[in-house]
Amino acid sequence: MIKHLLLMTKQLPLFIPINAYCNEQNWFVHNTTSSDEALTILKTQTVAAVLWDTTSVDFNETLTAISHMREKVMIPIIMLAKERNPEQMQQLFHHHVDDYLVEPFDYPEIIAILKQRFWLYDQITDANTESPDTAHQTVEPSAPKQLTFNNLTIDLQHYRVLRDDQDLGLTPKEFKLLHYLIQHPNQVLSREQLLQGVWDYDILGNSRMVDIHISHLRDKIEPDPQNPIWLQTVRGFGYVLKN
């Protein structure tokens, strides 16, 4: 199951490996560099866990943000610190964070911790669901979450792209790239815009990564990838998705 994680950091060397390891698990990483934006994402999107770099904002601001988060969501919150600070660690645990990890980070260990936390929170959720207090609550039906583009169906609930009911097997990043392009139809987008919009970060010097993902996406959605009719190159600038 694809999960969405929120990473709050201003450190590119931290974002890149976390994003890479999470992608291997089919997890999306939403990166933000401000606590206000982090809280907005939590309000508007379904997030499975929060990874918070304590060096990115003032510590008092961190405590305020964590306090607001805990009022709104019951998900794992993992703090990433440059060095061990017992006083700060005590205050963070007082605000009910789940873990406090210190550099140098072991990224496979972070993934293992997240999986364990997901399992634990699932048990809590299941227990609450079975509680008598929730037995008579009315659940509002959710609206269908899918888009159509020419002969493609974009399933936003299960993060799949279908053609004639056949799953085209897009990776999480390819899915996010296509979704972003569909949200900007007939608009020429530079590689830098795509990096910011899809990878949630200005990854300077990595525009080649965009080209590679565009090529893979064409292979899966275009009738003739060598002569694309939808996802076209605008030489010297970027790409456009023709509607």
Side-chain angles (χ1 to χ4, degrees):
M1 178 180 178
I2 296 178
K3 297 181 182 294
H4 290 247
L5 279 63
L6 174 61
L7 171 62
M8 209 296 294
T9 186
K10 295 179 181 177
Q11 296 189 60
L12 185 58
L14 179 59
F15 165 77
I16 290 177
I18 286 180
N19 186 60
Y21 276 93
C22 287
N23 278 345
E24 290 179 0
Q25 304 298 320
N26 284 344
W27 299 344
F28 280 116
V29 176
H30 298 277
N31 180 235
T32 179
T33 58
S34 76
S35 56
D36 287 341
E37 185 179 11
L39 293 172
T40 298
I41 291 173
L42 284 175
K43 290 179 183 177
T44 58
Q45 302 188 40
T46 300
V47 174
V50 174
L51 299 170
W52 192 280
D53 174 13
T54 61
T55 67
S56 292
V57 296
D58 176 78
F59 185 69
N60 288 330
E61 184 178 341
T62 291
L63 288 179
T64 300
I66 297 300
S67 179
H68 288 320
M69 287 182 192
R70 271 294 173 241
E71 292 175 359
K72 299 180 182 301
V73 295
M74 182 63 72
I75 58 176
I77 300 177
I78 297 175
M79 310 306 294
L80 306 174
K82 186 174 182 61
E83 57 188 9
R84 191 175 186 274
N85 185 316
E87 182 180 350
Q88 289 187 0
M89 184 168 60
Q90 183 177 3
Q91 292 184 66
L92 287 166
F93 280 121
H94 179 73
H95 284 73
H96 308 297
V97 305
D98 292 87
D99 293 280
Y100 181 93
L101 306 180
V102 179
E103 292 186 7
F105 300 120
D106 183 330
Y107 296 103
E109 180 183 357
I110 291 176
I111 296 299
I113 289 172
L114 282 167
K115 288 181 177 179
Q116 172 63 19
R117 295 300 179 208
F118 291 149
W119 177 85
L120 178 61
Y121 277 81
D122 284 344
Q123 309 311 304
I124 297 172
T125 301
D126 291 344
N128 289 338
T129 301
E130 295 170 2
S131 169
D133 294 336
T134 63
H136 302 292
Q137 291 181 357
T138 301
V139 178
E140 294 294 332
S142 59
K145 293 184 178 180
Q146 69 177 34
L147 302 172
T148 56
F149 177 80
N150 290 300
N151 64 346
L152 303 178
T153 299
I154 293 82
D155 182 347
L156 300 176
Q157 289 184 303
H158 302 99
Y159 306 101
R160 302 181 303 165
V161 176
L162 309 173
R163 177 188 288 124
D164 298 328
D165 293 326
Q166 296 296 314
D167 189 344
L168 299 185
L170 270 64
T171 66
K173 197 60 68 178
E174 291 165 357
F175 181 91
K176 190 173 182 181
L177 176 59
L178 178 59
H179 188 206
Y180 187 79
L181 289 164
I182 289 174
Q183 291 175 311
H184 302 81
N186 303 310
Q187 178 181 343
V188 179
L189 298 170
S190 68
R191 292 171 175 81
E192 290 72 23
Q193 286 174 304
L194 290 171
L195 281 170
Q196 179 64 40
V198 177
W199 280 263
D200 300 315
Y201 219 97
D202 289 321
I203 312 179
L204 300 178
N206 281 273
S207 61
R208 177 60 180 159
M209 180 166 57
V210 175
D211 298 337
I212 292 171
H213 280 79
I214 289 288
S215 177
H216 291 167
L217 187 56
R218 281 176 174 156
D219 288 340
K220 294 178 180 180
I221 70 169
E222 290 279 358
D224 181 2
Q226 300 304 316
N227 298 285
I229 57 176
W230 301 327
L231 186 44
Q232 299 184 6
T233 301
V234 180
R235 297 196 180 280
F237 192 81
Y239 299 97
V240 60
L241 186 68
K242 296 285 189 178
N243 197 345

